[in-house]
Amino acid sequence: MKRRKDLKPIAKKIKLFLMDVDGVLTDGRLYYTERGEEIKVFDVRDGLGIKLLQRSGIEVGVISGRSSKALLKRLEELGIEEVHTGRNDKLEVLEKILKEKNLKAEEVAYVGDDYLDVPVLKVVGFPATVKDAPPLVKRHALYVSKREGGRGAVREIAEFLLNLRGELKGLLEGYL
C-alpha cells in the first residue's frame, strides 16, 4: 500500500467514483419478505459521502452483480445516473464506461469488497475496499476503510479522497 503523501496526486486525477453495492453500500446480507421481495438496508452516512463527491464535481456510479427495486430507488434518490446492475463482468463494464466518457482508468476510483471486484481494482487509479473484505481483495486496494461495508465505509472513503484533494473542508463549511 502506498503512503498517504503519495496518494494526493492520484486523488487529484479522480473524475469518476464507482462502487459495488452488496458489501459496499450494504452489509452484503440479503433480506427477503415472506412474499419473496428483496429488502436492502443503506446507511444514510454513505449518502452524504456520495453527495459530497457529487458537489466536488466527481461523478458517482455503481457496477453491481445484483439488481433490485430497492437499490434503484436509493440510487435515484442520490442522483446516481451511472448505473450498471446485474453485471458480473465488471471490468468489461468499466472499459465501456471509460470509452463512453473518454476517461482513463487512472481517473477512476472504485470501491469493491469481493473477488469479482479484483479485476477492476487492479486497473483503476484509486482502488479501495471495505474493512470486512477478504485479504486478497485488500491487497489490491490503496485504501481499506476502518468501517465495514454498509456501515459508512463509502462515506469514509469519500471523505478520505476529498481530504487528499484538499476539498473536504470547503465542502463541509455549510454544515459546520
Side-chain angles (χ1 to χ4, degrees):
M1 183 140 100
K2 295 185 178 191
R3 283 187 253 149
R4 185 174 281 202
K5 68 178 182 178
D6 300 329
L7 296 180
K8 285 184 182 184
I10 293 169
K12 288 194 178 279
K13 293 179 184 176
I14 301 304
K15 295 179 180 175
L16 177 62
F17 185 99
L18 294 171
M19 64 196 135
D20 182 26
V21 175
D22 295 309
V24 175
L25 274 177
T26 73
D27 65 9
R29 295 185 287 175
L30 300 175
Y31 301 87
Y32 293 96
T33 67
E34 289 180 3
R35 293 184 301 238
E37 298 167 320
E38 187 174 337
I39 299 169
K40 300 237 183 241
V41 178
F42 300 96
D43 191 318
V44 71
R45 291 174 292 190
D46 289 331
L48 182 56
I50 289 167
K51 287 299 184 186
L52 291 171
L53 288 165
Q54 292 168 329
R55 286 184 194 132
S56 77
I58 296 173
E59 184 178 1
V60 179
V62 300
I63 305 174
S64 177
R66 299 179 54 83
S67 184
S68 73
K69 290 180 184 178
L71 169 61
L72 297 176
K73 172 76 172 154
R74 183 62 177 146
L75 297 177
E76 181 183 338
E77 288 174 350
L78 293 170
I80 296 174
E81 297 176 2
E82 191 66 49
V83 177
H84 303 269
T85 59
R87 301 293 300 264
N88 287 326
D89 55 339
K90 295 181 181 190
L91 185 57
E92 184 178 310
V93 174
L94 173 66
E95 290 169 350
K96 179 182 175 213
I97 292 169
L98 294 175
K99 187 174 182 177
E100 287 175 359
K101 295 188 174 297
N102 196 27
L103 291 172
K104 298 175 185 164
E106 66 190 35
E107 296 173 310
V108 177
Y110 183 78
V111 185
D113 73 302
D114 217 336
Y115 304 128
L116 287 175
D117 299 303
V118 171
V120 176
L121 292 171
K122 285 179 166 182
V123 299
V124 297
F126 191 87
T129 193
V130 295
K131 176 183 178 180
D132 50 336
L136 174 68
V137 177
K138 290 178 179 178
R139 282 199 295 266
H140 295 285
L142 289 179
Y143 185 79
V144 177
S145 69
K146 294 173 184 64
R147 293 186 165 274
E148 295 178 347
R151 307 261 182 196
V154 170
R155 162 91 166 264
E156 177 189 331
I157 295 165
E159 287 183 351
F160 180 80
L161 183 65
L162 291 167
N163 192 48
L164 285 171
R165 292 165 60 97
E167 299 174 12
L168 183 61
K169 185 178 177 184
L171 290 165
L172 294 178
E173 283 179 1
Y175 299 105
L176 305 177

